[in-house]
Amino acid sequence: MTSIRRCAKKTATLVAALSAFIPLSAHVSFENPDINTRNHVVFTVQHDIPGSPAYRTLFLADAAKSNGGAHAKLLSCYPEKMELLAGGGVLQIRNRYGTARYSVNDASLAWLSRTDTVPADAVRLEPQAVSPDGKWICYVRKTTFANGELILKNTATLSEKVLDSRADFSYEQVPVLWSPDSSTVAYEKAGVLYFCDPKAAFQQVQMTEEYRKIGKGAIQALCWAGDKMLFYIDRDVVYKINANELFTRGLYAPMVGSGIVCGRLPLAFDSLKDRFWVNPEGNELVVVQSDKMISAYSLKLADKNGQLYLPVLYALPFSDTRGSVVDFKLFWQRGKAPVLWADLIALDDGSHKSAVSRLGAAPTPLSLIDDAGYPVLSPDGTQLAFSSGESVFVYDLTSWKNRARLDGERAISYIWSGNNVLFVGGVSTVRRWAMTPVQTLVATAASGDGDGVIGTQTLFLSSGARVFWNGDGAIRAADAVKAGVFYDYDMTRGTWSLAFSDDTGRAAAAPTVQNGRYRVFVGTTPNPRYDNTLYIRTLTGTVDTKALFPDTAAKAEKRERIALLFDAVDSADGLARILSVLKEYRVDGTFFLNGEFIRRYPDETRQIVASGYECASLFFTAADLTGKDFVVDDDFIKRGLARNEDEFYTTTGSELSLYWHAPFYKATKAIKAAGEKAGYRYIDAGKLSLDTVTFEDSLHALRTAGVQYFTASQIISYYLATVQDGFMLPVSTGITAGSRGDFLYEKLDLLIGSLLDAGFELVPLRSLL
C-alpha cells in the first residue's frame, strides 16, 4: 500500500509535466491586418493543428468585395508535399489550401486548385507516386475512411483513369511501382499485381486487365533493377521478368509462368510486411523480414525448375541498442555494397534518429543522424540528400562523404531536378539549389535566404512572420524565422525575392487598420474552431461589420473529443511505429502497461516514459482475472496493482497514473470495486478492443457466437461509424498468442488521420474523465 500512496502524491506532478510535451488543442488565428488606401488588406493566418504542420499563411484581400475571403489571394505556399512534373519543368506544391504549380521556365507560381476559406481541420495530404519523367501521377482518392479509388492521372491534361475502384488507402504510400523509364506502372488490386502502359490506357488501346496480370501479392512483392528488369517474389520463389516481355508473359502466363525463376528463399516472403531490393546489375538481392532479419542472396544462378535455394551471401539480425526500428530503406550503387538507412525511435529520449550503415557480412556503421528527414536518391543513383536540423545535406553514396550542404532553415520537403539541382522547401522559403562539384554551399543568417550564396535562388515564400504594405502598393514580408530578413512580392509572377534593405522599424510599427472607408480588426468569434476572425467594418454610408471569411464567424458545435489508449500486455512489436506516428501527428495517448510487458521490455518501458506519454496500469499479470485459476478478492487486486506500480517505478523512476483496466478488459464488478478501494479509476473500453481478436478466436467464435475477426481497415471503418464524444479507442502494441493478417498499429496513421478528417479532437484520457 505504500507504493499506492506514493503514486497518489506524485500523480499531479506527472500530469503537469506531461502537459508540456504535446499540444492539446487546435489553434487557427488571424493576425496583423494592414490596409492601404486602395482598400486592399494583407494579413497572416496561423495554423497550429495536431495532425498537420504548424505555419503562417500570408493573404491579400479586398475589403470592398462582398465575401472577400472567397476572392482572397494566397501570397505564400507552404511545401507540405512537393512533386516534380513535366521533366523537371514544373514544381508542384501541395498543402492544406490546395495545389499550386511553379513554372521553371516562366519563374511564376499559380494555384491549380485551392479552398475558398481557411481550413480549421487537420488536412492530411495523400501521397502521390509521380512517374520519373513527371508525366503521370498515381494516387488514391478517398471514398471511405479506409478505402478509395486508385487513380492514374495525366499531369498535363489532368485527365484520369481509375485503376482500382476499391483500393486500400494509406497516408504513407500509393500501391504502385513505376518503371525507371516511366513506360510501365505496376499496381496492386485486391491482392493481385497488374501492370499498365499509361499511354495505352489513355489512348484506349490497353489490353484488358486479365491479360496484364503479374501474380498474387502486395506491391512490396515487386522491385525494379535497372531500366528493364522487374523482380517478383511469390511466397518463396524469386522471378525475373524482362520489361519487354511483360505483355507477352501477361498473355501466356498460364503456359510460360510469371517469369524466369531465379531460385527460392529459405523462408516465405510476406509481401504485406517484408521488403526486398535488387542491385542495378540484377545479380544480388537483399531481403528484410519482419523488420528484424536482413539477408542477402546471389541471383547469378537461375534455376528453371525453381528447386534450388538462392546462395546466401550473409544473414544477420538487425540490432541497434540506440533505438527501435520504425522503417528501413536501402540504396544501391552499381558495383558497390548497399547502404542501409534505418529510422529509429531512440530508447533514451524517444527522439527520431536514423542509423546509416554499409551492408555486408560485417556491416560498417556510417552515421547516426538526429531528426533526419526522408532520404532521396539522385536520378543517377550516386548521391543521397536528406535534412537534419536547419540543414540539407548531400552525401556521396560510394564514399559516404558530405559533398554539399545548405543551411539557413529547417527543410520540410526537397526533390531532385537532375543530378546537381535540388528544390528545397523550408519553413520560410522554397529555394532552387544548384550544387557545384566538391563545394559546400552555406546560407547563413547574414545572407538571409541564400540569394547571396552561389547556387541558391529564392522562388517564393513558404510562410512569414508578418506581411505589410511597403508604401501604398508594394507588399513586403518578414522572414518566418530570421530577424531582419525581408522579401518583396511580385504581383505578376506570384513569387518573392530578397529585399536588400532593413525594414525592422517598419515591421515593428503598428499596422494601418483604417483608411477612411474601412476599418479592419481581429475579433472574437462564436465558432470554436477558430481562435478569432478578421472583420471588415464599413465607415461610410450604411455602417456594416462583416467577417472577411463568413464561415469563420458562424456558430458551430465544439469538436467531439476522443482519447487513444495503447495496451501493452506482452508484446512490443508495434511500439516503435506507435511512438513515431504519435509524434508525427502531435497527438496524445495513454499507455496501459502490464507487468509482463515491463519485465520483458524494460528499455521500451523507459522509452515510453522518455517520449512524454502518460502511463497507467494494466495489472501485474497478463492472466484472465475472471478465469478459474485465481481467487480474486480485494487483497489480490490491491497487491497486484501495487506490484505493478513498484516494477514500473523500479524500471523507470516514474509513477503510474491512477487509471487501470484488467488484462483484455475482462473484469467483474467486484474486481473494478477492488481497484477503486486501492485508489484507482477503472477504464472500460473493452467493447471497442477488436485488434487482439485472432483468426483462432474467430474460428472459435463460429461455434460460440463470440467476437468476430476484423481486419485493421474494417476496425477503422467500424470506429468511425461508431465513436461519439467521450469515447476511448484501444490499440494493442502487439500480441504473442494467435495470428492476425494485420494489426491496427500498422494503420495507426490512417486511424488518426481519419478521426481528424472527421472533425474529432484527440485529447488526453484525463480530459474525458
Side-chain angles (χ1 to χ4, degrees):
M1 295 302 294
T2 302
S3 57
I4 292 180
R5 288 192 294 270
R6 182 184 69 235
C7 183
K9 288 190 292 184
K10 293 189 177 181
T11 297
T13 302
L14 175 65
V15 169
L18 287 168
S19 299
F21 281 94
I22 302 170
L24 304 182
S25 59
H27 296 284
V28 181
S29 57
F30 291 76
E31 302 172 330
N32 300 314
D34 191 8
I35 189 169
N36 66 5
T37 60
R38 303 174 185 178
N39 307 324
H40 294 153
V41 185
V42 290
F43 57 94
T44 62
V45 176
Q46 182 177 14
H47 293 264
D48 190 1
I49 304 174
S52 295
Y55 57 87
R56 285 183 173 91
T57 299
L58 313 184
F59 276 91
L60 167 65
D62 190 338
K65 286 188 177 181
S66 176
N67 191 12
H71 306 284
K73 185 175 183 178
L74 290 165
L75 303 179
S76 59
C77 187
Y78 197 80
E80 292 187 39
K81 300 282 187 182
M82 293 200 310
E83 294 88 24
L84 199 59
L85 311 178
V90 175
L91 178 66
Q92 178 171 275
I93 310 95
R94 295 186 291 132
N95 58 39
R96 69 192 60 179
Y97 284 97
T99 300
R101 289 183 175 181
Y102 176 82
S103 170
V104 175
N105 294 331
D106 297 337
S108 62
L109 179 73
W111 286 85
L112 184 67
S113 62
R114 53 155 291 190
T115 65
D116 57 4
T117 187
V118 175
D121 293 324
V123 181
R124 189 73 174 175
L125 301 178
E126 83 282 346
Q128 293 189 353
V130 180
S131 61
D133 63 7
K135 295 181 179 180
W136 317 96
I137 292 176
C138 283
Y139 68 99
V140 177
R141 181 166 54 210
K142 287 184 77 172
T143 54
T144 68
F145 291 115
N147 302 101
E149 295 177 324
L150 177 59
I151 303 295
L152 171 65
K153 187 173 187 175
N154 185 312
T155 62
T157 66
L158 304 183
S159 56
E160 299 180 345
K161 291 287 183 182
V162 177
L163 299 179
D164 183 5
S165 60
R166 192 169 174 78
D168 284 343
F169 183 85
S170 169
Y171 283 109
E172 294 189 341
Q173 69 166 1
V174 185
V176 302
L177 183 66
W178 283 100
S179 62
D181 63 1
S182 304
S183 64
T184 306
V185 60
Y187 61 96
E188 174 190 340
K189 179 179 179 180
V192 179
L193 297 167
Y194 301 91
F195 64 90
C196 170
D197 178 341
K199 289 183 180 179
F202 284 96
Q203 292 171 355
Q204 307 296 330
V205 295
Q206 184 90 268
M207 289 192 306
T208 58
E209 196 171 60
E210 63 180 305
Y211 298 113
R212 294 184 280 109
K213 180 179 176 181
I214 298 173
K216 294 182 179 180
I219 198 67
Q220 288 86 348
L222 296 175
C223 175
W224 285 95
D227 291 336
K228 298 299 181 181
M229 287 183 290
L230 178 64
F231 284 82
Y232 164 56
I233 301 180
D234 182 10
R235 291 187 57 80
D236 63 339
V237 182
V238 181
Y239 295 92
K240 179 173 68 174
I241 308 170
N242 190 302
N244 297 326
E245 300 175 352
L246 269 174
F247 285 94
T248 302
R249 290 192 176 276
L251 282 170
Y252 301 104
M255 291 179 286
V256 302
S258 298
I260 299 173
V261 177
C262 297
R264 297 172 59 193
L265 300 173
L267 296 174
F269 179 85
D270 184 344
S271 59
L272 290 173
K273 303 180 185 299
D274 303 336
R275 280 154 294 169
F276 80 101
W277 301 265
V278 178
N279 66 347
E281 296 86 351
N283 57 28
E284 187 175 328
L285 175 149
V286 171
V287 180
V288 173
Q289 293 182 290
S290 301
D291 285 339
K292 297 175 182 177
M293 193 70 186
I294 302 172
S295 307
Y297 303 91
S298 173
L299 296 172
K300 294 180 180 179
L301 179 62
D303 175 30
K304 294 182 180 180
N305 298 317
Q307 299 298 316
L308 294 179
Y309 286 104
L310 293 171
V312 179
L313 301 177
Y314 53 85
L316 46 98
F318 182 87
S319 177
D320 196 314
T321 58
R322 297 168 296 191
S324 307
V325 175
V326 177
D327 193 18
F328 285 112
K329 300 175 184 67
L330 189 134
F331 302 97
W332 293 98
Q333 188 174 356
R334 188 171 292 275
K336 304 294 182 181
V339 169
L340 181 72
W341 180 289
D343 290 320
L344 311 173
I345 291 290
L347 290 171
D348 57 353
D349 61 5
S351 63
H352 275 129
K353 296 183 182 295
S354 296
V356 187
S357 59
R358 192 172 299 280
L359 283 183
T364 303
L366 299 176
S367 297
L368 181 67
I369 307 164
D370 291 329
D371 198 23
Y374 56 92
V376 183
L377 191 65
S378 62
D380 64 2
T382 64
Q383 303 169 97
L384 201 64
F386 60 89
S387 64
S388 178
E390 295 188 351
S391 301
V392 175
F393 299 88
V394 174
Y395 270 66
D396 182 271
L397 207 57
T398 300
S399 63
W400 198 248
K401 291 183 178 179
N402 183 201
R403 181 198 163 194
R405 167 181 159 186
L406 180 67
D407 292 338
E409 60 184 273
R410 184 177 182 84
I412 304 302
S413 53
Y414 35 91
I415 191 167
W416 288 96
S417 177
N419 297 312
N420 293 295
V421 175
L422 278 164
F423 287 105
V424 180
V427 295
S428 299
T429 64
V430 174
R431 294 173 286 179
R432 183 182 183 273
W433 177 25
M435 294 172 289
T436 56
V438 200
Q439 180 180 359
T440 298
L441 305 173
V442 181
T444 64
S447 61
D449 63 352
D451 277 0
V453 180
I454 297 174
T456 61
Q457 175 191 3
T458 296
L459 306 181
F460 49 89
L461 291 190
S462 305
S463 181
R466 182 180 163 191
V467 60
F468 53 91
W469 291 105
N470 182 36
D472 200 44
I475 298 175
R476 182 161 288 184
D479 190 275
V481 293
K482 296 185 284 287
V485 177
F486 300 90
Y487 306 89
D488 287 329
Y489 184 66
D490 185 325
M491 287 280 195
T492 302
R493 297 181 183 274
T495 58
W496 294 81
S497 60
L498 186 66
F500 293 97
S501 64
D502 188 346
D503 243 350
T504 304
R506 175 70 181 92
T512 301
V513 295
Q514 68 179 34
N515 63 5
R517 290 181 293 276
Y518 298 97
R519 181 160 69 245
V520 295
F521 64 96
V522 172
T524 60
T525 172
N527 192 327
R529 300 192 174 194
Y530 298 88
D531 290 350
N532 56 34
T533 191
L534 180 60
Y535 291 97
I536 309 292
R537 177 164 293 166
T538 304
L539 302 178
T540 60
T542 302
V543 177
D544 183 30
T545 301
K546 61 182 180 182
L548 181 66
F549 294 90
D551 56 317
T552 65
K555 290 185 178 180
E557 298 292 330
K558 288 186 177 181
R559 297 178 188 275
E560 294 184 300
R561 303 183 304 163
I562 301 293
L564 294 176
L565 314 181
F566 298 96
D567 294 336
V569 179
D570 55 7
S571 171
D573 287 348
L575 181 60
R577 173 153 183 80
I578 289 170
L579 294 176
S580 177
V581 172
L582 289 178
K583 182 175 182 179
E584 179 184 4
Y585 277 82
R586 299 185 294 131
V587 298
D588 208 340
T590 299
F591 285 80
F592 285 79
L593 306 181
N594 183 267
E596 193 65 33
F597 181 92
I598 297 170
R599 292 186 288 273
R600 289 186 187 185
Y601 307 105
D603 289 339
E604 286 78 1
T605 300
R606 287 187 285 268
Q607 183 183 43
I608 295 170
V609 174
S611 298
Y613 297 104
E614 183 177 28
C615 294
S617 182
L618 216 166
F619 210 61
F620 89 98
T621 177
D624 180 358
L625 300 184
T626 63
K628 299 179 180 180
D629 297 332
F630 298 95
V631 177
V632 178
D633 56 15
D634 288 3
D635 188 59
F636 180 85
I637 297 299
K638 291 177 183 178
R639 289 179 179 274
L641 291 170
R643 178 175 172 180
N644 208 36
E645 284 181 32
D646 291 339
E647 290 189 352
F648 181 79
Y649 182 80
T650 300
T651 301
T652 67
S654 302
E655 301 288 358
L656 289 170
S657 66
L658 294 178
Y659 307 129
W660 86 292
H661 71 76
F664 318 111
Y665 293 94
K666 293 183 177 180
T668 63
K669 290 183 179 180
I671 290 173
K672 297 176 183 178
E676 290 181 5
K677 293 177 183 177
Y680 277 80
R681 179 164 183 168
Y682 194 84
I683 304 301
D684 197 348
K687 292 181 179 180
L688 295 174
S689 182
L690 304 174
D691 66 332
T692 57
V693 177
T694 64
F695 289 132
E696 294 80 3
D697 295 331
S698 182
L699 290 174
H700 179 70
L702 292 175
R703 300 188 297 270
T704 62
V707 181
Q708 183 180 350
Y709 177 91
F710 290 103
T711 66
S713 293
Q714 289 172 332
I715 293 173
I716 292 171
S717 295
Y718 177 76
Y719 278 176
L720 269 295
T722 305
V723 295
Q724 301 174 19
D725 185 45
F727 270 46
M728 296 168 283
L729 302 182
V731 179
S732 172
T733 62
I735 57 175
T736 57
S739 53
R740 284 187 57 88
D742 60 8
F743 290 88
L744 187 55
Y745 66 73
E746 295 172 339
K747 296 192 175 183
L748 180 61
D749 63 327
L750 179 57
L751 172 62
I752 292 177
S754 297
L755 288 168
L756 294 172
D757 287 345
F760 289 100
E761 182 179 357
L762 300 180
V763 300
L765 172 62
R766 59 186 176 274
S767 297
L768 298 182
L769 302 176

